Amino acid sequence: MSLFKTREWWSTSVGEAEEFDNGCLCVANIDNESSGSDKVILGSYQGILRVYNPRPQKTESGWSGYSPEDVVLEQAFQQPILQVEAGKFSSGSENLVLAILHPRKLSVYSISAIAGSVAHGSQYKCEGLYEHNLQRTVHKFCYGPFGGVKGKDFICVQSMDGTISIFEQESFAFSRFLPGALLPGPIKYVPRLDSFVTVSSAWRVECYKYQVLAVASDSGGKDETQNIRSGKRVTFDWSFDIGEQGMDIAVIAFPQAPASILILGERSICCLTETGKLRYMKKLGYDPSCLLPYASLSEGTINYIVATHTNSLLIYQDVTLKWAAKTEFTPVQCQVANFKELNGVIVMLNDTGRLECVYLGTDPAIFVPPHVESRELNYAKMDAEMAQLQKRIKEKGQKAVIAPNRKPEEDLQVNIHVSPNLDEMSMATGVEIPEEDSVPSIQLRIQVKARMLIDNIKLEVHAPWPLATNRSDYSIPSVEPNTPAELFVSIFQRGNSLPAHLYVQISASYQSATGGSRITTLRAALPAKLVIQPVLPVKSALHKLTIDTNKPPISLNDIFPDMLGENAGGQGAALGFQFFGGPVVTVLASKTSQRYRLQCDRLEAMWIPLKELVSRLNQHFNRGKYGDFRASFDGSLPLQEYYELVDSHFECRLGATKCSEMLAQRASQFRVIERRLLTRFKDKTPTPLQNLDTLLEGTFRQILALGDAVEQNQMAEAVAANNLSCGTYLLNFLIRLWTDMTDEEFKVLENAVSPVVSESAEQGWQEMTDAAVTHLLRTVLAKSAKDAAVNPSPLSIPSDTGKVKKHIALLCDRLGKGARLMDGLAEKKERTIKLPTPKTISEEADTELSEESNAVDNVISPNFRSEKSRKKKRGVVRAVEELAPLGLPMMDKPTADKSRRRGLGELSEAKNQKIRSMVPDLDDMSGGGDEENHIANGDS
C-alpha cells in the first residue's frame, strides 16, 4: 500500500451531466449546529444547491462511505450558481447564512434544521432572507468586514467588465470602475488593510483601499446606483507585476504566520507582504488547478496545498515540498473541513461533480502472515536445481541484448514492391541531362500495414542524387489493422552524374501505442536498367577489368535477358551499356576461359555494371542448394586512376574554400564602399564621389559573379563526390575479390575506406578516410610496435592528398600480403604478383608509417602506367576538365615543356587564378584603382 496516495474517507458523484468550477464548493457549519461540525455545500452551473453532512461509519473493511442520509438539503434554482459562500450576511443575526451568486442576482439564504418527531430525524429548510438584482453580468464576489465593521460581513461583487459593487447586507452601497480592467481576475478582501487585492488583465497584482473606493464618487450627493457611466479615477495603493495570469488569491491570517498574500499563477506561486513586497516565489514545473492555505505549523511559515492537472496533491511549507499524494481526478477546488468523526479532512471537487473527502497517510496493515512449518532441507535437490538454473542463466546470457527484443515493425509494417518493368510513360520531370529527351522511370508500390489503429503517419522517400522522385513525402491520416494503405511513387534520374548506388530509402514516423515516437526505415533496390541502356559494344577503351570465375563461361544473353536491346539475337559474347548522358561500358565473355572483362573510358563508370554482372552470375550458378560459385580478381588494383578521383574531389573542395574567401572579402569591401557613399550623401556640403559609385557597381558585379561561381562549384563538387563514391565502391569490391574477404572483414573495409562522401566543409572525405585507414594500420594491420605508436592526425583539411593516397596504398599492400582486418583470423597466404621492375610513386616520404620502398608499387598496375604515357592530355586534371562545363573555371592546359604529372600545388594555383579571372578587373576602371586599394586595406 503506497504512502503517496490519498485515502478515501467519504465520496459521492453529484448529479448527472452537471458542471462545477472554482467557487462552487463551500465548507462551513451552515446550520449553526452547537457541535460546530462542518457541512459540505455545493452549487452547480445547472442551478442545483446541495448540502451534505458526511457521517461514514468505521467497519472492519474500512469506512462505510456514502449513504443517502448524508444529503441534508437539495434545492433547484432557475439560474446557474456561480459561487457559494458562508458568512454573517444578515443584519438581524450573527449566525452564518449562505450567499449564492447567480449571473444577474445575489441571494442570501438561511439554512436551519428542524427537529423531527419521527424516526427519520431532523429536516433542513432553506429560507430566503434577501436578494439583489444586478445590472451587470457578474464573475465572482468576496466578503468581509468592510470599513472595520464589527460582527458583520459585507459583499463585494465583481462584474465581467471589471466593475465592483459593494452591498452592505440588505442595502446597496456603491459601484466603482477599476482602472485598466479588461478581463476580471480573482479578488479577495484583506481585513488588516481594509483593502481589496485583485490581479488585473495586465498580469499585475493591485491593492485598492476601501475608503478610497468609497469616496471616489462624482454623483454630487445623489444616491448611488449600479448603472454608473462614469466616475473619478481610482488609483491603487500598491502593485506588483507577476508576469502571468493570476488564477487564485488567498489571504493569510493564521496566528503564527506573517500577514501575507498568496497568488497562484499559471506557472508559479508568489507570496507578498501586505505592503506589496515579495517574500518568496516558487516556480512550478506543472500546471496547477487550485490553491488552499490551511495552517501555519511553525513560526513564520505557511502551509498550503496545491492541486495539479497531473492528479496530485502537493503539500508545501513556504517553498519546500513536504508531501505529495496522487488523487483519482483533477480537483478544481479544495477545502479543509472538521467533522464529528474526523478533523482535518480534505474536501475535493472536480469539474464533473466527483466529490471526495480524503486524508493523507496510511492505513494500518491488517494482514498477518500465517505460520510456516519448518522442514528439513534437501541439499542434493537444491544443488541440482541450482546447477539447472545456472545453466539456463548462461544460455540466456549468450543471447541477451541490451535493448528490448521488440521490433518497431510489430506496430507498423512497410512493404515495398518494385515494378519489374519500366513505366510505359515516363514520369520524369526537370531532367538536367543534355541530349536526352526523356529518361525512364520506374514505379514503387508502398504498402503500409498496422497491427492496431495508428494515426498521423509521415512517410518520406529519399532517393540519392542524381536520382529523384515525383513526390518525396506523404501524410497518411490513419491506418486500420484490416485495411492497409497503398502509395505509389516514381523514381527516375534527374541529375547529370553517375549514380553511386541504386538504393532508395523509405522512412515512416508515427506514434506508438505507448505514446513514444517510432521510426521504421527500410531500403529498396532499384534495377540497373533505370540508369543504363543497352547499346552496341565498343572495341577499345582506356580501362579494363578482368574477373575470373570457377564456372564455365555462359552467354551474356542468358545473364542479361532484359537488357539486350540492339544486341538481341547476337552470340552473347559482348554487350554494351551506356549511362544516360554518360560513358559506355562494354562487357565481354571469354569463349574458352572462365573470365569476363569490363572496359570503359572512365574507371568509376564500371562499378554498377560490375556489381550487376557478379550478382547475376551468382544468382545463375547458385540456384541449387549447394551452389559454389566464386568470383575473383587477379589483376592489379587501379589505384592510380582512383587517385585521380580523389584529387578531383579535393580540388573542388579547395575551390569552394577559395570562392567563399573571395566572396567574404568582396562583401566586406562592398559594405565599406556603402558606408563611404552614405557619409558623402549625408554631408551638408556636397563633395565629389571620387568614382565611389563606379567602384560600388564593379564590386557588386564581382559579388554576383562569385555567387555564380560558388553555385557552379557546388554542382561540380556534387558530381566529383558521386564519381569518388563510385570509384570507392569499385575499389572496395575489387579488394574483396582480390583477397577473398569475409563479410565481416568487408564491413570493416567499407567503414575505413567509406564510399559515403560527406558534404561537410570542416571534415571532408580525405581527412576522415586518412584517419580511419591510419587507425587500421596502427592496430590490426600494424607490422611493428613503431607503427602502433603513431599518433593520429587532426581532422582538418589537409594541404594535399599525398598522405591519404599513401596510406590507402599501404592498406592494399598489407592486405595483399595476407593480413586480416579482424583479430583472431588466420593470415592468408601472401599473393604473388608478377610485375616488371617497379617504379616508386612520386610521393614525399611518410615519416609516420614505415614501409618498404617498393611496397606501394606492388599494388599499382603497370598497364595503367603505359596507358598514361599514351594520353598526354588526360593527366591528373582530366576529371576537373570534364567538370568545367558544369561551372568550374577553365584551367590552363599543360604544355609540352611541363612535366607529365603536375603537382597538386600547381593545380590549386591555376584554379585560383582562373577563379579570380571570372570577376571584372577594377584596375581597368578609370579612377577606381586607388580607391579600391584603400578600401581593401580596411580604410573606412
Side-chain angles (χ1 to χ4, degrees):
M1 186 174 293
S2 173
L3 293 174
F4 302 97
K5 187 177 181 181
T6 57
R7 306 296 169 180
E8 182 179 314
W9 182 69
W10 179 89
S11 65
T12 183
S13 294
V14 181
E16 295 182 1
E18 296 189 37
E19 297 179 9
F20 302 84
D21 203 350
N22 194 344
C24 295
L25 172 65
C26 177
V27 173
N29 184 19
I30 195 62
D31 59 346
N32 300 285
E33 187 182 1
S34 59
S35 64
S37 176
D38 288 334
K39 312 297 183 298
V40 180
I41 308 163
L42 287 183
S44 69
Y45 284 168
Q46 279 65 34
I48 301 177
L49 176 69
R50 296 179 178 86
V51 180
Y52 294 91
N53 185 16
R55 289 167 294 183
Q57 301 298 321
K58 185 68 174 179
T59 62
E60 295 182 357
S61 59
W63 296 97
S64 61
Y66 170 80
S67 64
E69 290 80 6
D70 296 339
V71 183
V72 298
L73 179 66
E74 185 171 359
Q75 183 171 340
F77 294 89
Q78 298 298 323
Q79 299 183 37
I81 298 176
L82 303 182
Q83 188 177 352
V84 290
E85 296 290 350
K88 300 177 181 180
F89 304 130
S90 175
S91 59
S93 172
E94 292 188 358
N95 292 335
L96 293 179
V97 294
L98 183 65
I100 301 177
L101 183 66
H102 301 288
R104 287 279 184 161
K105 184 169 65 174
L106 174 65
S107 303
V108 177
Y109 294 88
S110 173
I111 297 179
S112 57
I114 302 174
S117 56
V118 292
H120 65 263
S122 303
Q123 296 181 3
Y124 286 78
K125 69 174 183 178
C126 181
E127 183 179 359
L129 298 180
Y130 59 88
E131 64 181 25
H132 295 286
N133 292 320
L134 307 176
Q135 301 298 324
R136 290 178 171 84
T137 303
V138 299
H139 176 247
K140 294 288 182 183
F141 77 90
C142 64
Y143 64 95
F146 303 162
V149 63
K150 301 296 184 180
K152 295 181 181 181
D153 287 329
F154 295 160
I155 298 176
C156 172
V157 179
Q158 183 186 32
S159 302
M160 294 295 291
D161 59 356
T163 305
I164 59 172
S165 301
I166 307 299
F167 296 92
E168 297 179 353
Q169 295 183 344
E170 291 88 349
S171 61
F172 167 74
F174 58 85
S175 293
R176 295 291 182 266
F177 287 118
L178 295 184
L182 296 178
L183 295 173
I187 186 170
K188 284 292 189 294
Y189 175 72
V190 185
R192 287 171 53 90
L193 301 178
D194 192 24
S195 303
F196 298 99
V197 177
T198 184
V199 179
S200 67
S201 56
W203 296 353
R204 183 173 57 199
V205 182
E206 299 175 351
C207 179
Y208 296 91
K209 290 284 189 180
Y210 176 75
Q211 295 298 334
V212 173
L213 295 174
V215 300
S217 172
D218 59 352
S219 58
K222 298 180 182 179
D223 294 338
E224 294 280 356
T225 176
Q226 295 186 46
N227 259 338
I228 59 174
R229 302 296 181 184
S230 61
K232 292 183 180 179
R233 181 174 180 83
V234 182
T235 58
F236 47 75
D237 187 36
W238 54 262
S239 65
F240 184 85
D241 290 324
I242 60 175
E244 59 183 353
Q245 180 61 43
M247 299 173 58
D248 200 0
I249 296 178
V251 178
I252 308 302
F254 303 129
Q256 296 182 348
S260 305
I261 302 171
L262 281 178
I263 297 96
L264 177 65
E266 294 175 335
R267 285 290 180 178
S268 63
I269 297 176
C270 293
C271 182
L272 307 179
T273 64
E274 289 185 340
T275 57
K277 304 298 182 182
L278 180 66
R279 290 192 60 227
Y280 58 80
M281 173 180 285
K282 173 67 177 178
K283 288 293 183 180
L284 306 179
Y286 49 82
D287 293 327
S289 60
C290 60
L291 171 72
L292 174 65
Y294 65 91
S296 176
L297 302 181
S298 60
E299 186 71 27
T301 62
I302 303 171
N303 288 58
Y304 54 92
I305 301 174
V306 178
T308 72
H309 284 278
T310 56
N311 298 350
S312 298
L313 281 184
L314 305 179
I315 313 300
Y316 287 95
Q317 186 175 45
D318 287 344
V319 296
T320 305
L321 180 65
K322 292 295 185 180
W323 191 265
K326 296 294 292 183
T327 62
E328 298 297 331
F329 55 82
T330 301
V332 296
Q333 190 175 357
C334 295
Q335 295 287 347
V336 175
N338 297 321
F339 299 107
K340 289 182 179 180
E341 292 78 8
L342 191 63
N343 291 331
V345 178
I346 302 175
V347 183
M348 301 185 302
L349 174 70
N350 75 342
D351 56 351
T352 60
R354 180 64 181 175
L355 179 65
E356 286 190 3
C357 297
V358 299
Y359 59 91
L360 307 178
T362 62
D363 289 331
I366 60 176
F367 173 74
V368 178
H371 179 69
V372 179
E373 296 181 359
S374 60
R375 58 183 179 180
E376 295 182 0
L377 300 177
N378 189 345
Y379 291 101
K381 187 177 181 179
M382 293 172 60
D383 291 341
E385 184 179 1
M386 178 63 71
Q388 184 179 3
L389 292 176
Q390 289 179 348
K391 181 179 179 181
R392 294 179 59 185
I393 291 173
K394 186 176 181 181
E395 293 176 353
K396 293 292 185 181
Q398 295 176 354
K399 301 178 181 179
V401 292
I402 298 176
N405 191 14
R406 182 177 181 272
K407 297 181 180 180
E409 289 79 7
E410 293 180 6
D411 292 338
L412 189 72
Q413 182 179 2
V414 181
N415 298 324
I416 303 176
H417 173 72
V418 181
S419 176
N421 302 319
L422 300 175
D423 296 339
E424 295 182 359
M425 180 177 294
S426 177
M427 303 295 293
T429 57
V431 178
E432 303 170 357
I433 304 175
E435 300 180 0
E436 290 288 345
D437 298 333
S438 176
V439 297
S441 65
I442 196 167
Q443 189 179 73
L444 271 66
R445 180 169 61 90
I446 305 174
Q447 187 180 56
V448 182
K449 297 180 181 180
R451 185 172 56 89
M452 60 187 68
L453 179 62
I454 298 180
D455 298 328
N456 194 20
I457 302 174
K458 302 295 184 182
L459 199 72
E460 293 187 1
V461 182
H462 174 69
W465 189 84
L467 301 181
T469 62
N470 59 346
R471 183 176 177 182
S472 59
D473 55 342
Y474 296 85
S475 179
I476 305 176
S478 63
V479 176
E480 297 182 358
N482 298 326
T483 57
E486 285 191 354
L487 304 172
F488 296 92
V489 59
S490 294
I491 312 292
F492 55 90
Q493 181 177 348
R494 174 175 292 169
N496 185 18
S497 175
L498 296 177
H501 59 82
L502 296 177
Y503 291 106
V504 59
Q505 181 172 299
I506 291 91
S507 301
S509 59
Y510 61 96
Q511 296 286 333
S512 64
T514 59
S517 299
R518 305 292 291 271
I519 297 179
T520 299
T521 304
L522 70 161
R523 295 196 309 174
L526 302 175
K529 59 185 177 183
L530 181 65
V531 295
I532 57 178
Q533 56 185 340
V535 295
L536 294 176
V538 179
K539 276 188 176 184
S540 60
L542 295 178
H543 309 293
K544 300 176 183 179
L545 295 175
T546 302
I547 305 299
D548 295 336
T549 64
N550 61 345
K551 295 293 183 181
I554 188 174
S555 174
L556 294 179
N557 294 345
D558 298 335
I559 300 298
F560 296 96
D562 57 336
M563 301 178 65
L564 297 179
E566 301 179 4
N567 301 308
Q571 298 179 358
L575 293 179
F577 304 109
Q578 182 181 15
F579 287 89
F580 289 101
V584 176
V585 181
T586 302
V587 181
L588 304 172
S590 176
K591 297 180 180 180
T592 57
S593 61
Q594 303 171 356
R595 293 183 176 182
Y596 300 88
R597 171 175 288 181
L598 287 85
Q599 57 187 27
C600 180
D601 289 338
R602 292 175 59 180
L603 176 70
E604 64 273 14
M606 290 190 284
W607 153 239
I608 291 181
L610 175 61
K611 179 185 177 185
E612 191 73 13
L613 173 65
V614 175
S615 176
R616 296 197 179 205
L617 287 174
N618 190 38
Q619 293 177 4
H620 178 79
F621 289 110
N622 288 344
R623 291 177 181 175
K625 186 176 181 181
Y626 303 101
D628 58 348
F629 171 78
R630 289 182 58 219
S632 61
F633 176 70
D634 291 332
S636 297
L637 297 176
L639 287 182
Q640 200 64 34
E641 304 299 327
Y642 177 69
Y643 291 160
E644 295 182 9
L645 301 177
V646 177
D647 290 338
S648 299
H649 179 258
F650 188 69
E651 279 296 310
C652 292
R653 292 183 59 195
L654 294 180
T657 304
K658 185 62 179 178
C659 287
S660 299
E661 292 176 355
M662 293 182 64
L663 186 60
Q665 191 272 337
R666 289 296 187 269
S668 176
Q669 174 177 298
F670 188 78
R671 290 190 294 269
V672 172
I673 299 173
E674 282 185 322
R675 288 197 296 269
R676 283 201 171 189
L677 280 175
L678 187 61
T679 303
R680 299 284 178 91
F681 291 150
K682 286 184 177 180
D683 194 358
K684 295 181 179 180
T685 304
T687 57
L689 296 180
Q690 298 180 354
N691 293 325
L692 281 177
D693 53 344
T694 306
L695 190 61
L696 181 70
E697 181 183 357
T699 307
F700 180 70
R701 290 203 306 269
Q702 284 185 333
I703 292 176
L704 294 181
L706 284 171
D708 294 338
V710 169
E711 292 182 357
Q712 295 168 3
N713 192 83
Q714 288 176 351
M715 176 59 67
E717 185 177 356
V719 175
N722 266 26
N723 293 340
L724 178 58
S725 182
C726 292
T728 307
Y729 273 117
L730 178 63
L731 179 65
N732 290 340
F733 191 71
L734 292 178
I735 292 175
R736 181 176 189 177
L737 299 180
W738 188 49
T739 60
D740 193 19
M741 280 187 177
T742 62
D743 293 340
E744 292 77 9
E745 288 181 291
F746 187 64
K747 289 181 181 178
V748 175
L749 177 64
E750 282 204 322
N751 288 332
V753 188
S754 175
V756 180
V757 181
S758 63
E759 299 179 358
S760 174
E762 291 77 14
Q763 295 182 1
W765 183 89
Q766 284 76 15
E767 48 265 37
M768 290 191 294
T769 302
D770 185 29
V773 174
T774 303
H775 177 73
L776 289 182
L777 296 175
R778 293 174 55 244
T779 54
V780 294
L781 299 180
K783 298 185 65 176
S784 62
K786 182 180 179 181
D787 292 344
V790 176
N791 294 325
S793 302
L795 285 177
S796 58
I797 184 169
S799 58
D800 54 35
T801 59
K803 284 188 178 181
V804 64
K805 293 189 292 187
K806 181 71 173 293
H807 292 162
I808 291 176
L810 292 178
L811 171 70
C812 298
D813 177 70
R814 294 185 184 180
L815 290 176
K817 290 183 177 180
R820 307 299 293 267
L821 289 178
M822 296 187 66
D823 294 332
L825 298 179
E827 289 193 358
K828 297 179 181 178
K829 184 178 180 180
E830 182 176 347
R831 300 184 63 87
T832 302
I833 305 176
K834 296 181 180 180
L835 296 177
T837 304
K839 298 179 181 179
T840 57
I841 60 175
S842 57
E843 297 285 348
E844 296 180 358
D846 191 354
T847 58
E848 297 181 356
L849 293 170
S850 61
E851 189 61 34
E852 296 82 355
S853 60
N854 62 345
V856 177
D857 299 296
N858 288 341
V859 294
I860 300 178
S861 171
N863 297 330
F864 291 115
R865 295 195 188 95
S866 60
E867 291 166 2
K868 294 293 288 184
S869 63
R870 294 196 302 265
K871 46 176 184 175
K872 294 182 180 180
K873 293 185 179 182
R874 300 183 61 84
V876 179
V877 299
R878 177 184 57 83
V880 179
E881 291 173 350
E882 291 180 353
L883 298 178
L886 295 177
L888 276 180
M890 293 298 296
M891 302 175 62
D892 293 336
K893 299 293 187 297
T895 56
D897 57 342
K898 292 185 179 179
S899 62
R900 187 166 49 88
R901 293 184 62 231
R902 297 193 302 174
L904 198 57
E906 298 177 9
L907 290 176
S908 302
E909 181 61 27
K911 187 179 179 75
N912 295 339
Q913 292 178 1
K914 291 306 175 183
I915 291 177
R916 287 191 292 267
S917 67
M918 293 183 62
V919 298
D921 189 3
L922 296 181
D923 294 336
D924 295 339
M925 300 181 182
S926 58
D930 296 336
E931 191 74 22
E932 182 192 10
N933 293 333
H934 289 297
I935 294 175
N937 293 330
D939 186 14
S940 61

